[in-house]
């Protein structure tokens, strides 16, 4: 899994035999997420624009994200036990936009790193609903990412995946942060952090458990099962993805 340091904070650990110290001194610069009333997503290298959905209670079309507008308790079911508290920003300063998996009256079922692979719940009035036109499907056996926009496939590319002892987790996840790395290192230019977490931590690994899509300084590892759970891809594919995928985009990882 990916290691990226912002000060002393670890994102995750994702290298083959690399140490978490390999990114010491790197800077992480999260892009911003804006909203617009237009229906066409607008992107630059540093800004992704997302379209607001209809008001809660109206019939919603297409995949949705929920941009938190206040600090809120994350619950195991609607009006259930609070399992974590969520701030409006991630630890890297990105707006917290959660992929919405389910809706019930007054409640949104969301995908979070606090409850990876599970649907957890927040009050519907705690977030602004956004349309999420981009989605990713990651096929581990094919070692391929399929990118769709409004349901239409627009790009496919090859990735390296988790090795036999530390397979990449499967399930439904969301994009939490899109990060630019500077200072060099084994993780390339950029990383897209997901809500997935690695359960099978290799013995002795101290780099954390968050899963991400990131670059690599070992291009021969792309297309192979060699990582600690993260997904390694070529820099041109990663930069293309980073310029388009909004926070809160839906990600499905299948075996």
């Amino acid at each position: 899994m990916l290691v990226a340091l912002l000060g002393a904070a670890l994102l995750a650990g994702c290298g083959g035999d690399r140490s978490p110290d390999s990114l010491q001194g790197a800077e992480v610069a999260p892009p911003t997420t804006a909203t617009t009333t237009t229906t066409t997503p607008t992107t630059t290298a540093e800004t992704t624009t997302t379209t607001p959905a209809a008001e809660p209670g109206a019939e919603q079309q297409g995949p949705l994200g929920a941009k938190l507008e206040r600090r809120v308790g994350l619950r195991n079911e609607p009006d259930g036990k609070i399992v974590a508290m969520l701030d409006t920003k991630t630890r890297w300063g990105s707006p917290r936009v959660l992929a919405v998996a389910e809706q019930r009256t007054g409640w949104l079922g969301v995908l979070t790193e606090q409850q990876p692979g599970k649907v957890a719940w927040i009050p519907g009035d705690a977030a602004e609903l956004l349309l999420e036109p981009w989605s990713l499907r990651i096929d581990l056996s094919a070692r391929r990412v399929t990118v769709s926009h409004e349901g239409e496939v627009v790009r496919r590319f090859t990735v390296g995946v988790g090795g036999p002892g530390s397979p990449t987790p499967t399930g439904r996840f969301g994009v939490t942060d899109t990060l630019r790395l500077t200072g060099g290192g084994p993780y390339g230019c950029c990383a897209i952090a997901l809500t997935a977490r690695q359960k099978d931590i290799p013995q002795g690994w101290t780099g954390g458990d968050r899963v991400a899509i990131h670059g690599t300084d070992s291009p021969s590892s792309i297309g192979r099962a060699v990582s600690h759970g993260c997904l390694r891809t070529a820099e041109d594919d990663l930069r293309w993805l980073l310029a388009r995928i909004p926070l809160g985009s839906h990600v499905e990882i299948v075996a």
Side-chain angles (χ1 to χ4, degrees):
M1 282 151 287
L2 172 72
V3 179
L5 301 182
L6 178 58
L10 286 174
L11 169 61
C14 229
D17 57 357
R18 296 285 181 164
S19 159
D21 294 332
S22 59
L23 273 185
Q24 206 109 35
E27 297 177 0
V28 181
T32 59
T33 299
T35 59
T36 177
T37 56
T38 64
T39 57
T40 302
T42 310
T43 58
T44 69
E46 296 184 356
T47 304
T48 303
T49 304
T50 309
T51 306
E55 293 298 320
E59 183 178 352
Q60 306 298 331
Q61 301 293 326
L64 298 174
K67 182 180 179 183
L68 282 194
E69 297 185 323
R70 58 179 170 85
R71 192 167 190 261
V72 68
L74 183 69
R75 299 176 185 267
N76 62 346
E77 59 184 9
D79 209 22
K81 177 183 176 182
I82 293 178
V83 294
M85 296 299 298
L86 298 181
D87 292 315
T88 58
K89 301 284 188 180
T90 71
R91 62 188 301 176
W92 290 280
S94 305
R96 193 178 296 277
V97 184
L98 306 170
V100 177
E102 296 182 35
Q103 294 183 78
R104 297 184 190 173
T105 303
W107 294 90
L108 298 172
V110 294
L111 305 174
T112 68
E113 69 267 29
Q114 289 78 12
Q115 295 281 285
K118 300 178 181 179
V119 177
W121 297 84
I122 60 171
D125 62 4
E128 176 188 11
L129 283 178
L130 306 174
L131 295 177
E132 296 285 355
W134 294 88
S135 62
L136 306 178
R137 188 177 191 273
I138 302 170
D139 186 323
L140 300 180
S141 60
R143 296 167 193 172
R144 182 176 62 234
V145 175
T146 300
V147 185
S148 296
H149 180 258
E150 296 183 346
E152 298 292 329
V153 174
V154 295
R155 192 172 177 115
R156 293 185 177 92
F157 55 87
T158 301
V159 288
V161 302
S166 52
T168 302
T170 58
R172 293 186 298 170
F173 306 102
V175 171
T176 65
D177 299 87
T178 50
L179 308 172
R180 297 181 183 279
L181 310 178
T182 60
Y187 303 101
C189 68
C190 333
I192 297 175
L194 309 179
T195 58
R197 290 186 181 271
Q198 175 59 279
K199 297 178 181 179
D200 301 310
I201 300 295
Q203 186 174 2
W205 181 253
T206 60
D209 63 355
R210 284 288 295 280
V211 172
I213 305 169
H214 63 71
T216 178
D217 65 349
S218 178
S220 63
S221 68
I222 297 172
R224 300 170 57 200
V226 294
S227 82
H228 286 164
C230 277
L231 301 145
R232 302 178 184 181
T233 191
E235 188 165 300
D236 59 343
D237 290 321
L238 188 56
R239 288 188 183 277
W240 183 92
L241 203 58
L242 201 74
R244 290 164 175 80
I245 298 301
L247 305 180
S249 292
H250 292 233
V251 180
E252 181 186 18
I253 303 179
V254 298

